[in-house]
Amino acid sequence: MLRVTFLGTGTSHGVPMIACDCMTCRSADPRDKRLRPSIYVELPDGTAILVDAGPDLRQQALRHDIRRVDAILLTHGHADQILGIDETRSFTANQQRPITCYGDAATLADIRQTFAYVFDPLTPRGGGLPELNLVTVEEPLTINGNEILPLRVCHGTRQILGFRFGAFAYLTDCSRIPEESWALLHNLDVLVLDALRTRPHPTHFSLGEAVEAARRIAARRTLFTHMCHDLPHEPTNGQLPEGMELAYDGLIVEL
Ligand SMILES: [Zn+2]
Ligand SMILES: [Zn+2]
């Protein structure tokens, strides 16, 4: 069984946003509390994979009692995907070995730049540095014998990665799906797709665009993620077509 825990389903600001009094940010519905986007995937053989390591990773790991991360898959190098890298120290201390961290070349360059102190041999060791083994994603990607399919999506002008694990696919931060990737999205049980807000945005699908893409992909179940405070959970969810829902923090999907 594949088990996916939604650690965060919010946009880069999170919901509630700092200093916002809107209806969603003041909502009492726990599903309107969205940490930065990330999922924790447990594969049938027990391999545990973190997809993206955002600034809320500490809180997310504590909330879900995550003690082990065998590998990190990075979709891209924006702050809301990588600023939790320093928190991986807790996992490496537990596991007594570095964590292999997969990304495309641009993302690994972002990691080396943002966390330059980690890779600087002059930084004193023993002060607790993340121990990462950075590996450029190749196709197909194999982790502990499990095949994972990386696929390209457009995040504005930048091409970034989505990942497919069997009948489950995770495409956060996506404004367009390039032609070659549609063919890799057939026959999904669960699709997770970016849906930022109702109004158009240059680097993210609007909800309408996401619904349209989800119809074309036709997964048995589609869950939207990376929502901002323009999309209150309950009222938005009630208007979605059958088979499509907003994901929420803490949601667990098993397939
Ligand atoms: Zn708000
Ligand atoms: Zn991004």
Side-chain angles (χ1 to χ4, degrees), residues 94-115:
N94 258 352
Q95 297 165 193
Q96 299 283 309
R97 61 188 160 81
I99 297 181
T100 305
C101 185
Y102 298 89
D104 62 16
T107 301
L108 298 187
D110 290 337
I111 292 278
R112 286 194 181 90
Q113 186 183 33
T114 307
F115 297 93

mmCIF file of all heavy atoms in Angstrom, residues 94-115:
data_model
loop_
_atom_site.group_PDB
_atom_site.id
_atom_site.type_symbol
_atom_site.label_atom_id
_atom_site.label_comp_id
_atom_site.label_asym_id
_atom_site.label_seq_id
_atom_site.Cartn_x
_atom_site.Cartn_y
_atom_site.Cartn_z
ATOM 1 N N ASN A 94 19.142 10.733 13.730
ATOM 2 C CA ASN A 94 18.438 9.491 14.056
ATOM 3 C C ASN A 94 18.936 8.330 13.237
ATOM 4 O O ASN A 94 19.084 7.218 13.725
ATOM 5 C CB ASN A 94 16.943 9.654 13.713
ATOM 6 C CG ASN A 94 16.114 9.903 14.945
ATOM 7 O OD1 ASN A 94 16.620 9.808 16.049
ATOM 8 N ND2 ASN A 94 14.848 10.223 14.736
ATOM 9 N N GLN A 95 19.144 8.604 11.940
ATOM 10 C CA GLN A 95 19.413 7.525 10.991
ATOM 11 C C GLN A 95 20.902 7.216 10.847
ATOM 12 O O GLN A 95 21.274 6.199 10.287
ATOM 13 C CB GLN A 95 18.844 7.902 9.615
ATOM 14 C CG GLN A 95 17.333 8.054 9.636
ATOM 15 C CD GLN A 95 16.730 8.767 8.439
ATOM 16 O OE1 GLN A 95 15.571 9.141 8.460
ATOM 17 N NE2 GLN A 95 17.506 8.972 7.383
ATOM 18 N N GLN A 96 21.731 8.149 11.345
ATOM 19 C CA GLN A 96 23.189 7.939 11.297
ATOM 20 C C GLN A 96 23.724 7.810 9.883
ATOM 21 O O GLN A 96 24.667 7.074 9.651
ATOM 22 C CB GLN A 96 23.575 6.688 12.113
ATOM 23 C CG GLN A 96 23.214 6.776 13.577
ATOM 24 C CD GLN A 96 24.175 7.654 14.365
ATOM 25 O OE1 GLN A 96 25.376 7.493 14.310
ATOM 26 N NE2 GLN A 96 23.640 8.640 15.079
ATOM 27 N N ARG A 97 23.059 8.462 8.935
ATOM 28 C CA ARG A 97 23.593 8.491 7.575
ATOM 29 C C ARG A 97 22.978 9.666 6.836
ATOM 30 O O ARG A 97 21.912 10.152 7.202
ATOM 31 C CB ARG A 97 23.315 7.171 6.845
ATOM 32 C CG ARG A 97 21.855 6.848 6.703
ATOM 33 C CD ARG A 97 21.647 5.444 6.143
ATOM 34 N NE ARG A 97 20.305 4.977 6.449
ATOM 35 C CZ ARG A 97 19.234 5.303 5.768
ATOM 36 N NH1 ARG A 97 19.328 6.093 4.724
ATOM 37 N NH2 ARG A 97 18.041 4.863 6.119
ATOM 38 N N PRO A 98 23.668 10.131 5.788
ATOM 39 C CA PRO A 98 23.150 11.281 5.040
ATOM 40 C C PRO A 98 21.842 10.925 4.329
ATOM 41 O O PRO A 98 21.559 9.758 4.085
ATOM 42 C CB PRO A 98 24.239 11.567 4.001
ATOM 43 C CG PRO A 98 25.391 10.698 4.316
ATOM 44 C CD PRO A 98 24.922 9.618 5.232
ATOM 45 N N ILE A 99 21.073 11.948 4.018
ATOM 46 C CA ILE A 99 19.844 11.742 3.238
ATOM 47 C C ILE A 99 20.145 12.103 1.792
ATOM 48 O O ILE A 99 20.713 13.163 1.507
ATOM 49 C CB ILE A 99 18.706 12.648 3.755
ATOM 50 C CG1 ILE A 99 18.361 12.282 5.202
ATOM 51 C CG2 ILE A 99 17.467 12.511 2.862
ATOM 52 C CD1 ILE A 99 17.241 13.108 5.788
ATOM 53 N N THR A 100 19.745 11.224 0.888
ATOM 54 C CA THR A 100 19.905 11.537 -0.527
ATOM 55 C C THR A 100 18.772 12.456 -0.946
ATOM 56 O O THR A 100 17.607 12.222 -0.648
ATOM 57 C CB THR A 100 19.899 10.255 -1.379
ATOM 58 O OG1 THR A 100 20.911 9.396 -0.862
ATOM 59 C CG2 THR A 100 20.212 10.569 -2.831
ATOM 60 N N CYS A 101 19.178 13.523 -1.592
ATOM 61 C CA CYS A 101 18.243 14.583 -1.942
ATOM 62 C C CYS A 101 18.276 14.751 -3.460
ATOM 63 O O CYS A 101 19.310 15.079 -4.025
ATOM 64 C CB CYS A 101 18.755 15.825 -1.223
ATOM 65 S SG CYS A 101 17.739 17.237 -1.345
ATOM 66 N N TYR A 102 17.156 14.459 -4.106
ATOM 67 C CA TYR A 102 17.090 14.462 -5.571
ATOM 68 C C TYR A 102 16.424 15.736 -6.081
ATOM 69 O O TYR A 102 15.404 16.173 -5.556
ATOM 70 C CB TYR A 102 16.268 13.274 -6.081
ATOM 71 C CG TYR A 102 16.833 11.919 -5.729
ATOM 72 C CD1 TYR A 102 16.492 11.291 -4.533
ATOM 73 C CD2 TYR A 102 17.693 11.259 -6.598
ATOM 74 C CE1 TYR A 102 17.003 10.037 -4.213
ATOM 75 C CE2 TYR A 102 18.203 10.000 -6.288
ATOM 76 C CZ TYR A 102 17.854 9.399 -5.091
ATOM 77 O OH TYR A 102 18.360 8.157 -4.773
ATOM 78 N N GLY A 103 17.010 16.293 -7.139
ATOM 79 C CA GLY A 103 16.390 17.435 -7.794
ATOM 80 C C GLY A 103 16.989 17.587 -9.177
ATOM 81 O O GLY A 103 17.963 16.896 -9.517
ATOM 82 N N ASP A 104 16.439 18.497 -9.966
ATOM 83 C CA ASP A 104 17.086 18.743 -11.257
ATOM 84 C C ASP A 104 18.298 19.656 -11.024
ATOM 85 O O ASP A 104 18.529 20.130 -9.899
ATOM 86 C CB ASP A 104 16.093 19.290 -12.297
ATOM 87 C CG ASP A 104 15.500 20.631 -11.915
ATOM 88 O OD1 ASP A 104 16.053 21.304 -11.014
ATOM 89 O OD2 ASP A 104 14.482 21.019 -12.510
ATOM 90 N N ALA A 105 19.086 19.880 -12.066
ATOM 91 C CA ALA A 105 20.349 20.608 -11.897
ATOM 92 C C ALA A 105 20.116 22.011 -11.334
ATOM 93 O O ALA A 105 20.848 22.466 -10.443
ATOM 94 C CB ALA A 105 21.075 20.678 -13.240
ATOM 95 N N ALA A 106 19.071 22.698 -11.810
ATOM 96 C CA ALA A 106 18.808 24.061 -11.348
ATOM 97 C C ALA A 106 18.451 24.073 -9.860
ATOM 98 O O ALA A 106 18.882 24.942 -9.098
ATOM 99 C CB ALA A 106 17.671 24.677 -12.166
ATOM 100 N N THR A 107 17.684 23.079 -9.438
ATOM 101 C CA THR A 107 17.262 23.012 -8.033
ATOM 102 C C THR A 107 18.447 22.715 -7.119
ATOM 103 O O THR A 107 18.588 23.321 -6.056
ATOM 104 C CB THR A 107 16.175 21.930 -7.870
ATOM 105 O OG1 THR A 107 15.084 22.279 -8.727
ATOM 106 C CG2 THR A 107 15.703 21.823 -6.439
ATOM 107 N N LEU A 108 19.310 21.804 -7.547
ATOM 108 C CA LEU A 108 20.478 21.487 -6.719
ATOM 109 C C LEU A 108 21.422 22.687 -6.652
ATOM 110 O O LEU A 108 22.050 22.941 -5.612
ATOM 111 C CB LEU A 108 21.195 20.237 -7.245
ATOM 112 C CG LEU A 108 20.343 18.954 -7.230
ATOM 113 C CD1 LEU A 108 21.203 17.751 -7.609
ATOM 114 C CD2 LEU A 108 19.668 18.710 -5.888
ATOM 115 N N ALA A 109 21.479 23.476 -7.743
ATOM 116 C CA ALA A 109 22.270 24.718 -7.712
ATOM 117 C C ALA A 109 21.651 25.699 -6.707
ATOM 118 O O ALA A 109 22.368 26.369 -5.962
ATOM 119 C CB ALA A 109 22.338 25.335 -9.108
ATOM 120 N N ASP A 110 20.330 25.769 -6.670
ATOM 121 C CA ASP A 110 19.651 26.626 -5.680
ATOM 122 C C ASP A 110 19.999 26.193 -4.249
ATOM 123 O O ASP A 110 20.235 27.015 -3.369
ATOM 124 C CB ASP A 110 18.118 26.542 -5.842
ATOM 125 C CG ASP A 110 17.630 27.218 -7.122
ATOM 126 O OD1 ASP A 110 18.341 28.095 -7.644
ATOM 127 O OD2 ASP A 110 16.527 26.853 -7.595
ATOM 128 N N ILE A 111 20.012 24.878 -4.030
ATOM 129 C CA ILE A 111 20.330 24.348 -2.692
ATOM 130 C C ILE A 111 21.766 24.732 -2.304
ATOM 131 O O ILE A 111 22.024 25.201 -1.193
ATOM 132 C CB ILE A 111 20.185 22.800 -2.675
ATOM 133 C CG1 ILE A 111 18.716 22.402 -2.833
ATOM 134 C CG2 ILE A 111 20.798 22.196 -1.426
ATOM 135 C CD1 ILE A 111 17.903 22.453 -1.574
ATOM 136 N N ARG A 112 22.691 24.557 -3.260
ATOM 137 C CA ARG A 112 24.096 24.861 -2.951
ATOM 138 C C ARG A 112 24.288 26.342 -2.663
ATOM 139 O O ARG A 112 25.119 26.731 -1.849
ATOM 140 C CB ARG A 112 25.000 24.440 -4.112
ATOM 141 C CG ARG A 112 25.179 22.942 -4.193
ATOM 142 C CD ARG A 112 26.333 22.546 -5.119
ATOM 143 N NE ARG A 112 26.443 21.097 -5.174
ATOM 144 C CZ ARG A 112 25.804 20.333 -6.064
ATOM 145 N NH1 ARG A 112 25.035 20.889 -6.994
ATOM 146 N NH2 ARG A 112 25.933 19.022 -6.032
ATOM 147 N N GLN A 113 23.493 27.188 -3.336
ATOM 148 C CA GLN A 113 23.628 28.628 -3.125
ATOM 149 C C GLN A 113 22.942 29.069 -1.820
ATOM 150 O O GLN A 113 23.519 29.771 -1.001
ATOM 151 C CB GLN A 113 23.006 29.374 -4.315
ATOM 152 C CG GLN A 113 23.240 30.857 -4.239
ATOM 153 C CD GLN A 113 22.565 31.610 -5.377
ATOM 154 O OE1 GLN A 113 21.499 31.227 -5.872
ATOM 155 N NE2 GLN A 113 23.186 32.687 -5.801
ATOM 156 N N THR A 114 21.707 28.603 -1.629
ATOM 157 C CA THR A 114 20.939 29.022 -0.452
ATOM 158 C C THR A 114 21.573 28.495 0.835
ATOM 159 O O THR A 114 21.564 29.165 1.862
ATOM 160 C CB THR A 114 19.483 28.525 -0.564
ATOM 161 O OG1 THR A 114 18.965 28.953 -1.814
ATOM 162 C CG2 THR A 114 18.616 29.063 0.553
ATOM 163 N N PHE A 115 22.111 27.280 0.766
ATOM 164 C CA PHE A 115 22.698 26.665 1.960
ATOM 165 C C PHE A 115 24.216 26.525 1.786
ATOM 166 O O PHE A 115 24.798 25.486 2.109
ATOM 167 C CB PHE A 115 22.040 25.303 2.229
ATOM 168 C CG PHE A 115 20.576 25.433 2.538
ATOM 169 C CD1 PHE A 115 19.632 25.318 1.533
ATOM 170 C CD2 PHE A 115 20.132 25.729 3.826
ATOM 171 C CE1 PHE A 115 18.272 25.474 1.800
ATOM 172 C CE2 PHE A 115 18.794 25.900 4.104
ATOM 173 C CZ PHE A 115 17.853 25.769 3.091
#
